[in-house]
Amino acid sequence: MRRPAFTVLLTALLALAGTGALPTPATAVPDRAAAIAADVGTLATTSLAPGLTLTSTSISGPNQVNILTANLAEPTLTPRYLNPGTVGATTALTVQANRIGAVAAVNGDFFDIGETGAPRGIGLDGGTLLHGPATGWNNVAALYSNGAGSRGGLAEIFLDATITLPGGTRLTATNLNSPNIAANGIGVYNPLWGDQPRSKALDGATRSREIEVTAGKVTKVSTTPGGKVANGTVAVLGVNAGADALASLTVGAAVTVNYAPRGGDGAAQVAIGGNLVLVKDGVATTVAHPKNPRTAVGFSADGLKMWLVVVDGRSAASVGMTYVELAAYMKSLGADDAINLDGGGSSTLVARMPGATSATVRNTPSDGAQRPVPNGIGFVSTAQPWTTTVDNSTAGRFTAGASWGVSTYSAERYGADYRFADPVLASDAAWYRVNIPQTADYDVSVWYPANAGYNDATPYIVSTTSGNQTVRVNQRVNGGRWVSLGVFRLAAGDANVVGVSRWTSGTGYVVADAVRITRA
């Protein structure tokens, strides 16, 4: 399984300067080459829920990339199709995510922007077909039940829909809750469609006929398409030749309407449409297209790992990717299959960060704010992750030598006070002792007050199953909040897990305040 290698400095994150200043050492202390070599550079990876992480990174281009990595075998992690509640509607992705309590999501399908707002492809959630794919929009990212978890992959899914007339004649419906009806086709609309007038779906047709069917009987016939469909009713709208096929129907006629998805690897529980297959069985696309903001979904060869990727674009900080570049990037993550979703101003990634109560935007949309979109794909979690916090004043859980002073100077401190010390040519680490319940992956976050007089390269030591790993943090910025050092595999047992070393080439006081460890 291939994984990306990220090297990200914390100083590339938010730049929040501290207030005031404290004395700093007159000379910098040289650091050890061994400590530098041990730096792991995973500061931009955050555990959102068991089996789900968010990584933010900068790569050549330049490009800013946000990646949701999901372990689909995790039983507490459930994939979900997001929407505003009706098909013909758009809203901010954060609204859609918070509507169902999603931990994280990306935007989804291409859509009828500026008109009905309805998506072009399929929408499946919990095995329920919300809308069908229009002809040519059959490539989808699909997820299936797999024991207690899920598995995913690319698929081609089609609409199987029929209208059975009196006498047994069967007509084929071309669309379900679609923004446009195929030439000479028939569209089916149910209450999920919403309030949009279906006249927008005629797409220049010269003739139209709409019937409404309730409890197997025609209850209304009209040459003018309606809007909202009543509960228990379906509207059948034909255009041109499709309208002619419905012309004989009158109120009271017995009509049956059936529709279901066809295709994919079994009964998909969740599916969302895209336009272009970027990678298929490890082979990347060669289709040319200009650099743009991009959203993509990829799956590992065994279908048990999923990547949801948003690449920012249209700015000096992030120029975006071509289809070819995006395909190559998805392959570099480990994707054996990948599909391109809607991009440009629609490209958005949202996540509920640790300790937060709602999802927020984590990338930089090229419109300057979230574009209202019709759908997205993401995850909900039923897990209550194990977490613990150790402060410098937690009894029996923090140890430091006599050189570590106690301060209440900064209001950004966690708890009553924090510890500080000058850099020296020795580790003299302050240690946080944690009783880890089970050998597993954990997110390690730290809290410290920031100040211009504090150290710009404070070494945090994390004791992992593969040995001590060092992450350097600029304590002059990002103070008064939890800052993730990354996700590490920690061994079960009660031991010193996180240390703050004084051996650094940075200048200014080294600060030890609090740490938080959460099961990933």
Side-chain angles (χ1 to χ4, degrees):
M1 183 178 296
R2 292 162 288 184
R3 295 176 181 266
F6 299 109
T7 304
V8 183
L9 295 177
L10 186 63
T11 51
L13 301 177
L14 300 174
L16 177 65
T19 56
L22 295 181
T24 58
T27 58
V29 179
D31 204 356
R32 296 174 295 176
I36 295 173
D39 285 359
V40 294
T42 56
L43 296 183
T45 297
T46 301
S47 173
L48 302 176
L52 184 65
T53 61
L54 168 63
T55 299
S56 302
T57 187
S58 300
I59 62 173
S60 62
N63 276 307
Q64 301 295 317
V65 185
N66 285 274
I67 306 156
L68 294 171
T69 304
N71 173 14
L72 297 180
E74 169 57 48
T76 62
L77 195 64
T78 303
R80 290 293 303 272
Y81 173 95
L82 283 63
N83 73 353
T86 59
V87 175
T90 60
T91 190
L93 189 61
T94 48
V95 174
Q96 298 179 36
N98 293 327
R99 173 176 172 263
I100 64 168
V103 178
V106 299
N107 67 288
D109 204 352
F110 292 79
F111 63 103
D112 189 24
I113 190 168
E115 293 293 335
T116 65
R120 304 291 185 187
I122 196 170
L124 269 171
D125 187 45
T128 299
L129 181 62
L130 307 179
H131 54 88
T135 301
W137 292 90
N138 305 104
N139 290 320
V140 306
L143 294 116
Y144 309 86
S145 295
N146 185 40
S150 305
R151 62 180 175 85
L154 301 189
E156 283 189 288
I157 297 182
F158 302 84
L159 175 67
D160 266 353
T162 58
I163 299 102
T164 305
L165 307 183
T169 300
R170 301 179 74 186
L171 304 177
T172 299
T174 54
N175 300 86
L176 172 66
N177 289 335
S178 291
N180 306 97
I181 299 173
N184 299 307
I186 300 174
V188 175
Y189 295 84
N190 61 29
L192 290 173
W193 170 247
D195 298 328
Q196 286 289 347
R198 285 184 296 284
S199 57
K200 294 182 178 182
L202 298 182
D203 209 19
T206 57
R207 303 187 306 283
S208 67
R209 189 172 186 85
E210 182 172 89
I211 65 169
E212 293 185 5
V213 180
T214 307
K217 300 288 184 179
V218 176
T219 54
K220 184 179 179 180
V221 176
S222 176
T223 57
T224 303
K228 186 176 179 62
V229 180
N231 290 335
T233 297
V234 293
V236 180
L237 175 59
V239 297
N240 293 343
D244 298 340
L246 301 173
S248 64
L249 295 173
T250 58
V251 172
V255 173
T256 303
V257 181
N258 292 294
Y259 48 84
R262 171 176 54 85
D265 183 16
Q269 294 298 298
V270 172
I272 198 164
N275 69 332
L276 176 73
V277 173
L278 296 167
V279 185
K280 182 63 177 175
D281 296 329
V283 179
T285 186
T286 57
V287 174
H289 200 266
K291 293 179 183 290
N292 275 297
R294 301 288 184 189
T295 303
V297 171
F299 299 94
S300 59
D302 62 6
L304 297 181
K305 180 171 264 191
M306 182 178 180
W307 295 270
L308 298 89
V309 175
V310 167
V311 182
D312 289 340
R314 299 176 182 169
S315 75
S318 190
V319 298
M321 291 186 181
T322 67
Y323 283 155
V324 172
E325 290 168 340
L326 182 60
Y329 188 70
M330 297 302 290
K331 282 194 65 174
S332 77
L333 295 179
D336 196 58
D337 292 314
I339 189 171
N340 183 68
L341 303 184
D342 191 15
S346 298
S347 285
T348 310
L349 187 149
V350 303
R352 188 175 69 227
M353 302 303 284
T357 58
S358 60
T360 55
V361 178
R362 309 312 302 176
N363 73 309
T364 305
S366 63
D367 284 354
Q370 292 184 81
R371 171 184 290 176
V373 294
N375 58 12
I377 187 167
F379 295 91
V380 297
S381 175
T382 59
Q384 298 294 325
W386 177 90
T387 186
T388 189
T389 299
V390 180
D391 188 22
N392 72 95
S393 59
T394 304
R397 293 285 151 186
F398 178 84
T399 56
S403 297
W404 286 85
V406 178
S407 177
T408 60
Y409 174 81
S410 176
E412 292 183 342
R413 64 185 181 273
Y414 185 97
D417 53 40
Y418 56 99
R419 309 297 288 272
F420 69 97
D422 288 317
V424 292
L425 283 170
S427 180
D428 189 25
W431 282 97
Y432 298 85
R433 187 178 182 90
V434 182
N435 191 1
I436 302 297
Q438 182 180 5
T439 299
D441 292 336
Y442 294 84
D443 177 83
V444 177
S445 296
V446 297
W447 185 295
Y448 54 87
N451 188 278
Y454 293 168
N455 203 275
D456 59 358
T458 296
Y460 281 87
I461 306 164
V462 182
S463 180
T464 76
T465 55
S466 57
N468 287 349
Q469 296 185 18
T470 302
V471 179
R472 299 180 187 284
V473 174
N474 182 358
Q475 293 187 327
R476 297 176 183 176
V477 296
N478 301 313
R481 68 189 72 178
W482 289 112
V483 175
S484 176
L485 300 183
V487 176
F488 305 87
R489 193 156 189 84
L490 306 181
D494 195 1
N496 288 333
V497 175
V498 180
V500 185
S501 174
R502 298 173 61 194
W503 199 322
T504 172
S505 59
T507 59
Y509 288 126
V510 172
V511 170
D513 196 348
V515 302
R516 183 182 67 190
I517 298 179
T518 303
R519 175 73 182 270

